[in-house]
Amino acid sequence: MFEQLGLIGCGLMGGSFALALKRAGLVKRVVGYSKSPTTTARALSMGVIDVEAPSALLAVSGADVVLVAVPVAATEATFKAIRHLVTPQTLVMDVGSTKRDVVDAARRLLRDNVGCFVPCHPVAGKELSGVENADPDLYDGRQLIITPIERTDPRHLARAEALWQALGCHVEQMSPEAHDAAFAAVSHLPHMVAFALVNAIAAQPRGQDFLGLAGPGFRDFTRIAASEPKMWRDILLANREELLTQSRLFREALQALERMVEGGNAEALEAAIGQASHLRAHWRMGTHRKSS
Amino acid sequence: MFEQLGLIGCGLMGGSFALALKRAGLVKRVVGYSKSPTTTARALSMGVIDVEAPSALLAVSGADVVLVAVPVAATEATFKAIRHLVTPQTLVMDVGSTKRDVVDAARRLLRDNVGCFVPCHPVAGKELSGVENADPDLYDGRQLIITPIERTDPRHLARAEALWQALGCHVEQMSPEAHDAAFAAVSHLPHMVAFALVNAIAAQPRGQDFLGLAGPGFRDFTRIAASEPKMWRDILLANREELLTQSRLFREALQALERMVEGGNAEALEAAIGQASHLRAHWRMGTHRKSS
């Protein structure tokens, strides 16, 4: 299907994509670039990439498909670095967790070639980053959100959809704005909450003692708190408005529960817990089917 | 080791205890009572109990070991119901997630026989309740906290320790107060936060849409939100003071992150996330070894 993948960023997301594409027989050759030479060397030795590129620009040279898999804050600089070799025939995609900032950067920097950029967000990941954790199954069965803009080339859009579907993804389209509002609520806020909870416990005089007593509920609840700091710093900052709105709504819901606890309002408390419990018990991952 | 277990409450916790004790060959006969006749019938048909008792009191009759495995708010009524058949030779234990309220109820109601009560909290559980989810491996490898008081009979304490150790638990002792402070932080607060987060999303006009887009991070983070409403209503209310203290500390930590996001303070944000990430990445479940 594709001759050459230009992979910019050979971490968990990019590395997993290259491995999955190779396994599916969808690409002949992967040319990779990473900011860190250690990462590129490891990707080469693992067979994630076939050829090492000395720059992001040269990773794009000769590629018919390009994946930008860098932290969202580095997307703009990456577009700047590669724009002179992007042609109307190159399919360019990203895997960023925020979409408005990425789309804005694409508009500004790819200009006449913005139509070849298809903004993508695979709803997949691990708290373990790095190419050493790359996994060809990472995207299988997951949702893949595409947030096209009015100038996105329909042919590139169709190629991107087919590619992710071939990797086992359920592909959905929505606007960048709708995407960022939704993921502020269901991903960015839970991460910020998990970071805050771990820090709040650790800051107490008996915090280490407390943490040593924690069980399986705490383990699962805080798994995402182990995520990569730079990557999440960038995501939280990139989606700050939606995130702050969601955090405020969440604090209000928490304080409503606090008031029930404080006032000993058993009936209201049971109803509120019952609502959350019912919703969560009946929730199934990846059941979204309509664009919002 | 024991002739007869009197099991009061045949749900997930009690049922799993009976199954584990039987499998280890530590008890000859289990006599069980549950408030709901359906539960008792199911426990009987599953082989969790051997004989159905018509009341909590009669479940204690002839038992040399008694496990009270009811929601924490029902502990007091259970002690009241059974106290006339508790003898100084009976080892009585509970499995409640809060300990100050349970110990207070034991003092008030068991009176001269309070020495035979050994307050226990196995740090184990599932979001799925009911005897149908009982599992003889539930306690294996988990921590078991004992919160003795000055009047606890040392022989009963030693028997309780040996029993839980035989089921694979790491047994630790601490005061009821230290227990409740620690579990407010690492268990009760995370549950309240998970309930609040699910409710805050669901209350928004596009909430259902948002939930349908959530991925594996949200799945693990909110698993505990599916917990049993009555049980968690009682736990949150029983430990309200410690819980409200922890919730306030957590909200302050969250608002500190919000301010960094709002002000675009990338450096401070990365440091705060980095601290949480480092702590959580190096945390291992069940590593507490000193009583606090």
Side-chain angles (χ1 to χ4, degrees):
Chain A
M1 194 179 184
F2 291 98
E3 283 293 317
Q4 184 172 316
L5 166 66
L7 182 64
I8 301 170
C10 304
L12 172 70
M13 303 299 279
S16 299
F17 180 80
L19 288 176
L21 219 60
K22 284 181 164 202
R23 191 177 62 180
L26 292 171
V27 70
K28 290 193 184 152
R29 197 167 48 252
V30 178
V31 178
Y33 169 75
S34 247
K35 208 175 146 192
S36 144
T38 327
T39 299
T40 329
R42 198 173 291 148
L44 201 58
S45 75
M46 285 173 67
V48 167
I49 64 173
D50 305 303
V51 181
E52 195 177 328
S55 68
L57 180 66
L58 289 172
V60 172
S61 170
D64 48 353
V65 57
V66 170
L67 190 77
V68 176
V70 300
V72 282
T75 308
E76 183 158 350
T78 305
F79 286 154
K80 209 171 212 165
I82 67 173
R83 61 180 162 179
H84 295 300
L85 285 183
V86 169
T87 72
Q89 282 70 50
T90 325
L91 166 61
V92 181
M93 303 181 292
D94 78 321
V95 292
S97 296
T98 54
K99 294 268 76 76
R100 277 195 303 185
D101 61 324
V102 165
V103 161
D104 284 348
R107 274 202 189 90
R108 267 198 315 279
L109 292 155
L110 301 181
R111 297 187 190 172
D112 289 349
N113 282 327
V114 72
C116 70
F117 177 61
V118 180
C120 297
H121 174 205
V123 188
K126 294 188 196 176
E127 72 279 20
L128 302 164
S129 58
V131 71
E132 56 273 29
N133 294 298
D135 173 1
D137 290 317
L138 187 70
Y139 301 116
D140 188 30
R142 299 301 187 206
Q143 293 188 96
L144 185 282
I145 317 293
I146 295 184
T147 61
I149 56 172
E150 57 296 342
R151 292 177 62 194
T152 308
D153 184 331
R155 286 168 313 154
H156 280 312
L157 187 58
R159 290 171 79 205
E161 277 209 28
L163 189 162
W164 288 103
Q165 276 165 352
L167 302 187
C169 290
H170 309 293
V171 178
E172 276 211 72
Q173 287 187 28
M174 62 182 68
S175 71
E177 292 73 25
H179 171 279
D180 284 6
F183 285 90
V186 300
S187 172
H188 310 162
L189 175 64
H191 277 80
M192 188 160 77
V193 164
F195 300 141
L197 188 115
V198 170
N199 283 344
I201 297 175
Q204 298 174 48
R206 289 180 295 173
Q208 289 304 321
D209 239 23
F210 291 176
L211 289 170
L213 290 163
F218 178 88
R219 176 193 62 202
D220 293 354
F221 182 86
T222 59
R223 180 179 65 78
I224 52 178
S227 297
E228 217 281 300
K230 280 190 207 313
M231 177 180 151
W232 279 92
R233 173 200 66 188
D234 292 348
I235 293 172
L236 302 189
L237 290 173
N239 201 17
R240 71 180 82 180
E241 276 171 52
E242 295 288 359
L243 174 61
L244 292 171
T245 300
Q246 290 298 330
S247 195
R248 186 178 48 74
L249 292 172
F250 160 70
R251 277 193 287 105
E252 286 168 9
L254 181 63
Q255 287 184 281
L257 292 183
E258 285 178 22
R259 282 191 296 273
M260 295 170 199
V261 169
E262 194 160 17
N265 192 344
E267 205 176 323
L269 186 60
E270 184 185 337
I273 298 176
Q275 181 190 300
S277 175
H278 180 83
L279 268 164
R280 180 53 184 80
H282 292 84
W283 174 83
R284 291 292 170 273
M285 193 163 72
T287 49
H288 192 270
R289 285 294 170 268
K290 297 204 142 204
S291 79
S292 53
Chain B
M1 194 178 183
F2 290 99
E3 283 293 318
Q4 184 172 315
L5 166 66
L7 182 65
I8 301 170
C10 304
L12 172 71
M13 303 300 279
S16 298
F17 181 80
L19 287 177
L21 219 60
K22 284 182 165 201
R23 192 177 60 180
L26 292 172
V27 70
K28 290 193 186 153
R29 197 167 47 253
V30 178
V31 178
Y33 169 75
S34 246
K35 207 174 147 193
S36 143
T38 327
T39 299
T40 330
R42 198 173 290 147
L44 202 58
S45 75
M46 285 173 69
V48 168
I49 63 173
D50 305 302
V51 181
E52 196 176 327
S55 68
L57 181 65
L58 290 172
V60 173
S61 171
D64 48 353
V65 57
V66 169
L67 190 79
V68 176
V70 300
V72 281
T75 308
E76 182 158 350
T78 304
F79 285 153
K80 207 172 213 165
I82 66 173
R83 61 180 161 179
H84 296 300
L85 285 184
V86 169
T87 72
Q89 282 69 48
T90 325
L91 166 61
V92 181
M93 301 181 293
D94 78 320
V95 292
S97 296
T98 54
K99 294 267 75 77
R100 276 195 303 185
D101 60 326
V102 165
V103 161
D104 284 349
R107 275 202 189 91
R108 267 199 315 279
L109 292 155
L110 300 181
R111 297 185 191 173
D112 289 348
N113 281 327
V114 72
C116 70
F117 176 62
V118 180
C120 297
H121 173 204
V123 188
K126 294 185 196 178
E127 72 279 20
L128 302 164
S129 58
V131 70
E132 58 274 28
N133 294 298
D135 173 1
D137 290 317
L138 187 69
Y139 301 115
D140 188 31
R142 298 300 187 206
Q143 292 188 96
L144 185 283
I145 318 292
I146 296 185
T147 62
I149 55 172
E150 57 297 342
R151 292 178 61 193
T152 307
D153 183 332
R155 286 169 313 157
H156 280 312
L157 187 58
R159 290 171 79 205
E161 277 208 28
L163 189 162
W164 288 103
Q165 276 166 351
L167 302 187
C169 289
H170 309 293
V171 178
E172 276 211 71
Q173 287 186 29
M174 62 182 69
S175 71
E177 292 72 26
H179 171 280
D180 283 6
F183 285 90
V186 299
S187 171
H188 309 162
L189 175 64
H191 277 80
M192 188 160 77
V193 165
F195 299 142
L197 187 116
V198 170
N199 283 344
I201 297 175
Q204 297 174 49
R206 288 179 297 173
Q208 288 305 320
D209 241 23
F210 291 176
L211 290 170
L213 290 163
F218 178 88
R219 176 194 60 203
D220 294 352
F221 182 84
T222 59
R223 181 179 65 77
I224 53 177
S227 297
E228 217 280 301
K230 281 190 208 310
M231 177 180 151
W232 279 92
R233 172 199 66 189
D234 292 348
I235 293 171
L236 302 189
L237 290 173
N239 200 18
R240 72 180 81 182
E241 277 172 52
E242 296 288 0
L243 174 62
L244 292 171
T245 300
Q246 291 298 330
S247 196
R248 185 177 50 75
L249 292 172
F250 160 70
R251 277 194 287 105
E252 286 168 8
L254 181 63
Q255 287 184 283
L257 292 182
E258 284 178 23
R259 280 190 298 273
M260 295 169 199
V261 169
E262 195 161 18
N265 191 345
E267 206 176 323
L269 186 60
E270 184 184 337
I273 298 175
Q275 182 189 301
S277 175
H278 180 83
L279 268 164
R280 180 55 183 80
H282 292 83
W283 173 84
R284 291 293 170 271
M285 192 164 71
T287 49
H288 192 271
R289 285 294 169 267
K290 295 205 145 204
S291 79
S292 52

